[in-house]
Amino acid sequence: MKLKTLVMLGGLGLAAGALALSQVGAQSNTLRVFAGSTLRPDLLQPIFDRFEKKTGTKVVLELGGATSELQNQYLTTVLGAKDSSLDVMLIDVIRPAQFVAQGWLEPLDKYFGGDADRKEFIEGYVPGPIRANTIGNELWALPATTDVQFLYYRKDLLEKYKLPVPRTWEDLIVSAQTVLAGEKNPNLQGLNFQGAPIEGAVCMFLQPFWAAGGDFLSGGKVNINNDFGKRALNLWVDSINKYKISPALMAEVRTDDSRRMLQQGNVVFGLNWAYAWAHFQGNGGPTSGPSSVIGKVGVAKLPIFEGTKAATSTCQGGFQWGISSFSKNKQKAFELMKFMSEVPNQEDFSIKGGFLPVRKSLYNNNKVLKANPHYDDLYPVILKAKPRPVTANYPRVSEIIRTNVNAVVAGSKTVDKALSDMQSALEPLIK
Ligand code: GLC
């Protein structure tokens, strides 16, 4: 039964070794690791192989879906069933609060060699993901990669039309219209974003909401049904209907669709996470497809709105290594997680995959900066990324926001109705 669930949900990820593993259980010298498919199995596996060479412990990778909520669905089923065959999982930064409340994560403090060791380890990390993984003073997961949303743009097209990199949404709209009018290419999108009802759509609300000056929680109360909320959602609606820089199909676009569209040369300005960079350079791995934009993409911080004092804001993203409470190989699982955090392995993931490192020192590392020149300028943005609401109820919170954002982008709900629906549904959940 247990295996059947895994086969159904794990899809391609259920490697042959997994069968043997779940039968031998505790005696096994194998760790079973879950990761979403955008987390580059082609880069993870060689690092796992090095771990096996060093320690004799084999690591079997089980691949989950491409979006955060699909991965969550899968893990909820496996962990809800107290399935002991999964040892380690890469979880989105929004999950620790939820997983700890469910009793699904192993607390990590006892695996360090005392307080000083824990402190030294943590101090080497960028603070955002450490904050997300620390609940009640206990560390529950180790950051694997951090993440923010960037504005990716076509350098070649901006140069052709003598346009600067836009700092405001208003400038971006005019520049996108200029390029579209000049190029006359029906496949070209001026602005691409994620309007499908996926986790990424939560950030499509929060980022422009923060940039407009909004404060999600004020005085401990959800506060989104206001002009800041309107400005945020109108940005997407107007991009489609009024400024005509985004096609209506944005309502179906998920993160990896956005990545592909820009990579195929069909987008002038696009919002996406750090991993997209390596794909644009033609280094996206075996399932990435060819890139038509090698050397043509620039990276900037997200725009702000004219006439507001708010700084640019991005969601804090990224993935964390957690140990399942039900694993029978916890000590080995921790060894693997520590191994993954070593500098050469972090370097690898970042140089070859574009993933933002979690160790501060890597932002001064020449090899990393050569592969990702934008890390240098954008480091302050990475440090200032803001968390999405931190709550054990996060799946419900996310669902409310992402379905409303999607309804607005799809044109099936007005901005005003979506804001009042979100406000009333979220109020009782976040206090
Ligand atoms: C990226 C981020 C993750 C976020 C997801 C949303 O993978 O790293 O934190 O939730 O995108 O699509």
Side-chain angles (χ1 to χ4, degrees):
M1 172 62 201
K2 187 164 45 179
L3 259 181
K4 198 165 158 212
T5 318
L6 286 171
V7 172
M8 272 163 32
L9 292 162
L12 21 131
L14 195 75
L19 186 73
L21 170 67
S22 88
Q23 283 163 355
V24 289
Q27 287 83 43
S28 162
N29 212 21
T30 304
L31 286 171
R32 180 101 164 273
V33 175
F34 171 87
S37 63
T38 54
L39 273 287
R40 296 291 301 272
D42 61 309
L43 301 182
L44 285 172
Q45 194 59 55
I47 309 180
F48 291 161
D49 294 345
R50 293 205 288 273
F51 179 74
E52 181 179 358
K53 226 170 174 184
K54 187 174 162 193
T55 64
T57 300
K58 187 175 171 58
V59 182
V60 175
L61 182 58
E62 184 175 329
L63 267 197
T67 61
S68 180
E69 66 291 340
L70 282 178
Q71 295 156 24
N72 186 50
Q73 248 173 44
Y74 172 73
L75 289 173
T76 300
T77 309
V78 173
L79 298 166
K82 301 191 176 13
D83 187 330
S84 66
S85 60
L86 182 68
D87 300 297
V88 178
M89 50 206 159
L90 263 179
I91 54 173
D92 197 339
V93 68
I94 50 189
R95 304 286 168 217
Q98 169 199 346
F99 279 27
V100 168
Q102 296 285 350
W104 292 342
L105 282 179
E106 168 76 355
L108 300 182
D109 285 358
K110 59 175 177 278
Y111 293 94
F112 290 95
D115 286 354
D117 182 39
R118 177 190 189 273
K119 187 162 178 270
E120 194 192 325
F121 186 81
I122 283 178
E123 275 173 358
Y125 278 71
V126 290
I130 291 288
R131 270 197 296 272
N133 295 337
T134 309
I135 297 163
N137 286 329
E138 174 84 38
L139 191 69
W140 295 87
L142 289 190
T145 156
T146 190
D147 213 353
V148 294
Q149 280 227 324
F150 292 128
L151 176 71
Y152 292 98
Y153 60 90
R154 285 285 297 279
K155 276 193 300 196
D156 56 326
L157 291 175
L158 294 196
E159 271 158 30
K160 181 170 171 189
Y161 294 92
K162 302 198 174 11
L163 297 165
V165 179
R167 281 306 308 125
T168 64
W169 285 111
E170 289 79 3
D171 285 348
L172 182 146
I173 290 163
V174 175
S175 297
Q177 288 174 326
T178 308
V179 176
L180 291 182
E183 291 297 295
K184 300 186 177 53
N185 170 358
N187 294 324
L188 192 62
Q189 305 170 10
L191 172 63
N192 180 288
F193 57 92
Q194 293 89 54
I198 56 152
E199 179 55 36
V202 174
C203 296
M204 291 308 114
F205 176 68
L206 289 174
Q207 291 169 165
F209 172 75
W210 287 325
D215 196 1
F216 190 87
L217 270 185
S218 44
K221 203 168 161 252
V222 175
N223 189 15
I224 55 174
N225 189 7
N226 49 33
D227 285 347
F228 309 121
K230 279 187 197 154
R231 203 158 185 184
L233 291 179
N234 276 326
L235 174 66
W236 310 127
V237 179
D238 289 348
S239 292
I240 298 171
N241 299 329
K242 186 165 159 195
Y243 305 120
K244 312 228 179 285
I245 57 171
S246 309
L249 71 84
M250 283 302 109
E252 283 150 43
V253 170
R254 290 166 302 195
T255 311
D256 215 34
D257 303 323
S258 285
R259 184 271 296 170
R260 228 172 285 116
M261 289 165 170
L262 203 145
Q263 188 173 326
Q264 286 161 352
N266 294 331
V267 174
V268 184
F269 296 108
L271 266 57
N272 215 324
W273 303 90
Y275 85 108
W277 171 255
H279 290 266
F280 300 154
Q281 308 318 308
N283 299 329
T287 57
S288 171
S291 173
S292 326
V293 293
I294 300 174
K296 295 183 183 166
V297 176
V299 190
K301 43 188 172 182
L302 299 182
I304 52 175
F305 285 106
E306 250 165 38
T308 62
K309 290 201 195 74
T312 178
S313 288
T314 155
C315 277
Q316 168 82 65
F319 282 80
Q320 330 299 315
W321 297 108
I323 303 179
S324 159
S325 300
F326 313 109
S327 162
K328 299 204 168 82
N329 286 308
K330 291 184 178 134
Q331 186 61 45
K332 277 190 191 138
F334 188 74
E335 275 163 37
L336 173 67
M337 283 161 39
K338 259 201 135 170
F339 180 76
M340 297 308 291
S341 79
E342 286 172 10
V343 168
N345 299 330
Q346 281 269 312
E347 266 181 5
D348 224 38
F349 214 46
S350 197
I351 293 171
K352 297 181 186 152
F355 293 96
L356 294 174
V358 284
R359 276 185 187 274
K360 290 183 217 160
S361 67
L362 294 214
Y363 291 91
N364 293 316
N365 174 312
N366 287 337
K367 285 183 277 178
V368 169
L369 291 177
K370 187 160 176 261
N372 301 282
H374 51 291
Y375 284 9
D376 203 14
D377 268 6
L378 295 169
Y379 189 50
V381 174
I382 295 163
L383 291 182
K384 277 194 231 132
K386 291 191 182 194
R388 284 161 266 178
V390 178
T391 157
N393 267 332
Y394 190 77
R396 181 73 191 120
V397 167
S398 163
E399 194 187 9
I400 292 165
I401 303 177
R402 65 178 191 252
T403 51
N404 274 288
V405 170
N406 170 257
V408 163
V409 174
S412 61
K413 232 187 220 194
T414 63
V415 166
D416 286 349
K417 174 85 170 85
L419 287 172
S420 88
D421 286 355
M422 284 201 276
Q423 175 74 36
S424 52
L426 290 171
E427 257 175 31
L429 291 177
I430 308 177
K431 283 182 248 175

